[in-house]
Amino acid sequence: AMAAPTRQPLARSALLFTCFLNLLSLQMNALSISPSLHLQRIQSRHHDSSCLFAKKKIKSAKQAKTSGFGGKAIEPCPCASGLVYMKCCGKLHNDSAAFAKATPEQIVRARYSAYAKRQIDFIIASTHPLNSNFMSDIEHWKKTIEMNCYDNFELTSCEIINVSQQNDGDKATVQFVANMIQRHSREKTAFMETSTFERAGEHIRDGAWLYKSGEIQDPPERQEESRNSESEESTITGDESSL
């Protein structure tokens, strides 16, 4: 009668000890698995964030690609060459290598477009150091150009009349007509200029053609009108004298 109660506590103790061992085993397993699970979660999050970043990059690249449409990518060049701005004068405005390889005619067009687009840095960069308007004080020069940048006019086209180059290859002249419209009155006007270009050396703008001087004249149409007017006046004067 006294032996049974003794075996029950022993059995109960054995059961508790077994439960303790099972619980300890579970904790040990949890501790051994937890780091790998944690690492997997970190790797998974890193992969997700990388994918998200890649998607953002792709999206921004698409936006950058399409943002030009309706803008400079299809905008006609102010010089009226028939090309879009970024494939014409825009190349010279934004690429010094393209500027260095450009012909005098291309630089005339680019300078015309630079006034239309207010690309003042290009106007300065394409001016010969021996030009009478050249200034060593670049900031003051910029302000001077800003005040005289044809803001009251729409520059509509640059018409090339003649291009000539001397045999030594370091001097060229370009005759062109600059057409424009007065913004308020909508009156069309134009002037003709014969520009002289020279290279200042390979160490200056990589040997690019630079604007040295210009001679302003009336455009051919206005010269023709002037000649006709003088002819009419001389005819009237001759008739009066014969009277």
Side-chain angles (χ1 to χ4, degrees):
M2 297 297 295
T6 304
R7 285 197 297 268
Q8 273 187 343
L10 288 174
R12 191 175 299 168
S13 298
L15 180 62
L16 289 173
F17 183 71
T18 303
C19 291
F20 173 74
L21 288 177
N22 290 335
L23 179 62
L24 182 63
S25 176
L26 288 172
Q27 288 179 344
M28 292 296 292
N29 289 336
L31 288 173
S32 62
I33 293 172
S34 180
S36 62
L37 286 174
H38 184 61
L39 179 60
Q40 288 178 5
R41 287 172 183 172
I42 292 175
Q43 290 175 340
S44 177
R45 288 173 184 173
H46 177 71
H47 177 72
D48 292 342
S49 63
S50 299
C51 291
L52 181 61
F53 181 69
K55 288 177 181 178
K56 286 182 179 179
K57 288 179 68 176
I58 293 170
K59 185 178 180 181
S60 63
K62 287 181 179 180
Q63 287 176 343
K65 185 177 179 181
T66 57
S67 62
F69 292 107
K72 292 182 179 179
I74 59 172
E75 180 183 3
C77 193
C79 76
S81 63
L83 299 173
V84 296
Y85 171 66
M86 291 307 297
K87 290 187 177 181
C88 190
C89 297
K91 289 173 60 179
L92 276 66
H93 293 168
N94 296 285
D95 186 355
S96 58
F99 170 42
K101 296 177 182 177
T103 64
E105 176 183 343
Q106 289 174 322
I107 295 175
V108 164
R109 290 185 177 277
R111 283 177 61 86
Y112 176 90
S113 295
Y115 278 100
K117 306 287 288 183
R118 296 187 67 83
Q119 294 283 344
I120 295 173
D121 287 340
F122 181 82
I123 296 171
I124 291 174
S126 59
T127 302
H128 199 285
L130 298 181
N131 185 292
S132 60
N133 294 321
F134 189 92
M135 296 182 185
S136 57
D137 187 344
I138 301 299
E139 292 303 317
H140 177 67
W141 191 6
K142 284 184 178 181
K143 292 178 182 178
T144 303
I145 297 174
E146 286 175 353
M147 294 172 60
N148 301 279
C149 208
Y150 295 94
D151 290 337
N152 294 325
F153 294 89
E154 294 177 10
L155 277 64
T156 54
S157 67
C158 178
E159 182 183 354
I160 304 298
I161 305 299
N162 184 51
V163 180
S164 63
Q165 189 171 332
Q166 291 187 354
N167 294 331
D168 58 8
D170 289 331
K171 185 176 181 180
T173 58
V174 181
Q175 190 176 52
F176 67 96
V177 174
N179 296 295
M180 58 194 75
I181 299 174
Q182 216 285 335
R183 292 186 184 276
H184 301 294
S185 67
R186 308 308 299 170
E187 180 184 358
K188 293 182 179 180
T189 185
F191 67 84
M192 184 168 69
E193 179 177 336
T194 301
S195 298
T196 300
F197 286 82
E198 290 186 13
R199 302 182 192 273
E202 293 183 0
H203 61 289
I204 298 179
R205 306 297 178 190
D206 295 325
W209 290 100
L210 301 176
Y211 175 64
K212 188 175 182 181
S213 62
E215 181 183 349
I216 304 296
Q217 301 168 287
D218 285 333
E221 297 83 1
R222 204 171 296 170
Q223 292 180 11
E224 184 67 25
E225 291 173 2
S226 179
R227 283 194 292 268
N228 292 338
S229 178
E230 290 175 359
S231 177
E232 290 176 1
E233 288 179 2
S234 62
T235 301
I236 292 172
T237 304
D239 291 342
E240 288 176 349
S241 62
S242 62
L243 294 173

